[in-house]
């Protein structure tokens, strides 16, 4: 039995609120559909938890191989036994550094999207967990991760840790696979495409899914033949059936009409907005598309401006507060961070940029539809995740971006959202959509970006790519950047 203090802990209370009977019933349904690869992972992790000796596991698999399904199976199996599982995506890993009591009682930590996290974050988490679990300094050597079981997952074909102005070597070296802890991980690979297991597909559809899946993986592995007309070895040809042609020079309107046909008739249909998005390499391109689409939607414009300041924690705060004007602070934009000005209308899709209340489905990356707008609060309906269909209120919060490269710490009070008719490729990781338009005003610029973009949809028919050609660029070609050395120690 947990103590009264445990139940006073909100996080613990949420973890202990599950019905073990419901979890058991859900687990039994999920367990029956695990394939052999899943079963090997499931049994290894469950043995580690039951033995209470700890263990580090990494599951390497592309989209469609059933990682999320596997996580659900493991989580329900343990919660059916009243065990505590902490499951976070890479964007929420910092939250694990805070609730020491919860870490003490956790039987398993699951960390998804792990390849995009810097190895130093993994090592910091390891030190924190070990210190919490082994307070006796006489214990030597201390068990790795304090004897906890840690399950990591992800795809090294995807975007790697972001290093400001970092070289290729610096980015690869920052990967968790280059951490001193990596040698302790048992690595499992998932290769079976679960989408091919759909009994409703005929032989022709199965072959089409398999061919498209192979092409996507070849993009991620850097196996697509390169252009012979460019000196740069990163240029590849996109198949003609995936290309959107623009003959009038209006590239933004062309990709909008391709991805959101009959917008004015369909924008009131939440389902239509939920199942599609435009992806672009840069914030600038995504913002241009969103501004254009907001202008097309009828209704009253609402603009929300942030209150920006320099954090008192900035070194030499007083002199910098005088030097940096409000106009300069307002002009600053960062990836994954709300702009100074946010333009909204009822009926447009938005994405959360921070975790607000995970128990209600309000997490970083959650997409919603704006349903009402007031001066200090926005009402929206959740489109994705476990809170889908729920109407919630979003308020302004104080945010501080990290790794800006500036000598100041910006403090911005703003709604933690962005309009998401379009979003950056980096922000689209973990999103799965039936219809994806890719707008390459400029080519991708980092490892895995093109792979992430083309793998967001599950079907060839759902993918369209518009390439804005430079004067010397061959027709239908774009860049695909793959750091092949990242795959060297994943066995």
């Amino acid at each position: 039995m947990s103590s009264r203090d445990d139940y006073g802990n909100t996080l613990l209370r949420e973890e202990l609120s599950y019905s073990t009977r419901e979890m058991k019933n859900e687990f039994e349904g999920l367990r029956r559909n695990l394939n052999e690869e899943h079963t090997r992972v499931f049994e290894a992790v469950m043995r580690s938890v039951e033995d209470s000796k700890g263990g580090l596991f990494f599951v390497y698999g592309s989209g469609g191989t059933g990682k999320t399904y596997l996580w659900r199976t493991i989580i329900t199996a343990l919660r059916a036994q009243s065990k505590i599982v902490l499951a976070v995506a890479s964007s929420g890993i910092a939250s694990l550094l805070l609730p020491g009591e919860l870490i003490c009682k956790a039987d398993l930590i699951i960390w998804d999207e792990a390849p995009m996290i810097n190895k130093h974050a993994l090592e910091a988490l390891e030190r924190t967990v070990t210190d919490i679990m082994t307070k006796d300094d006489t214990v030597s050597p201390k068990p790795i991760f304090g004897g906890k079981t840690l399950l990591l997952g992800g795809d090294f074909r995807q975007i790697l840790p972001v290093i400001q102005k970092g070289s290729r070597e610096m980015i690869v070296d920052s990967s968790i696979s280059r951490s001193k802890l990596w040698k302790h991980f048992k690595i499992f690979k998932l290769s079976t495409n679960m989408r091919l297991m759909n009994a409703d597909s005929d032989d022709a559809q199965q072959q089409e899914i398999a061919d498209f899946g192979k092409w996507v993986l070849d993009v991620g592995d850097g196996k697509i033949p390169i252009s012979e007309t460019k000196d740069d070895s990163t240029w590849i040809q996109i198949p003609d059936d995936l290309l959107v042609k623009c003959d009038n020079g209006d590239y933004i309107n062309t990709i909008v009409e391709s991805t959101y046909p009959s917008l004015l008739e369909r924008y009131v249909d939440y389902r239509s907005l939920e199942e599609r998005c435009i992806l672009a390499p840069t914030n600038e391109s995504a913002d241009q598309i969103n501004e254009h689409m907001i202008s097309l939607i009828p209704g009253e414009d609402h603009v929300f401006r942030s209150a920006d300041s320099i954090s008192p924690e900035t070194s030499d705060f007083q002199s910098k507060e005088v030097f940096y004007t409000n106009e300069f602070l307002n002009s600053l934009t960062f990836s994954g961070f709300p702009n100074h000005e946010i333009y909204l209308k009822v009926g447009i899709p938005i994405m959360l940029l921070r975790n607000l209340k995970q128990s209600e489905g309000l997490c970083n990356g959650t997409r919603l539809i704006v349903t009402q707008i007031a001066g200090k609060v926005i009402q929206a309906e959740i489109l994705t995740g476990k809170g889908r269909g729920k109407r919630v209120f979003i308020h302004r919060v104080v945010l501080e971006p990290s790794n800006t490269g500036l000598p100041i710490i910006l403090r911005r009070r703003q709604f933690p959202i962005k309009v998401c008719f379009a979003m950056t490729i980096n922000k689209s990781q973990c999103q799965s959509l039936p219809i994806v338009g890719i707008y390459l005003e400029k080519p991708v610029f980092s490892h895995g970006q093109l792979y992430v973009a083309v793998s967001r949809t599950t079907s060839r028919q759902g993918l369209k790519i518009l390439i804005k050609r430079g004067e010397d660029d061959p027709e239908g070609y774009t860049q695909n950047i793959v750091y092949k050395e990242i795959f060297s120690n994943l066995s």
Side-chain angles (χ1 to χ4, degrees), residues 433-446:
L433 301 156
I435 299 169
V436 171
I438 302 175
Y439 177 51
L440 298 176
E441 179 185 23
K442 298 176 182 177
V444 298
F445 53 86
S446 70

Side-chain angles (χ1 to χ4, degrees), residues 144-164:
I144 296 175
F145 268 93
K148 292 290 182 184
T149 299
L150 179 70
L151 175 59
L152 272 58
D155 185 353
F156 282 93
R157 301 177 188 91
Q158 292 192 344
I159 296 161
L160 298 176
V162 175
I163 305 294
Q164 293 290 333

Side-chain angles (χ1 to χ4, degrees), residues 270 274 350 352 357-363 366-371 379-394:
Y270 293 175
E274 173 191 353
I350 57 174
L352 280 184
K357 194 169 185 180
Q358 291 173 287
S359 61
E360 293 187 4
L362 293 176
C363 307
T366 298
R367 292 191 296 140
L368 311 93
I369 288 284
V370 176
T371 51
Q379 186 191 63
E381 182 173 316
I382 299 175
L383 291 180
T384 56
K386 65 180 180 181
R388 182 177 174 178
K390 183 185 299 182
R391 294 208 170 183
V392 296
F393 293 99
I394 301 171

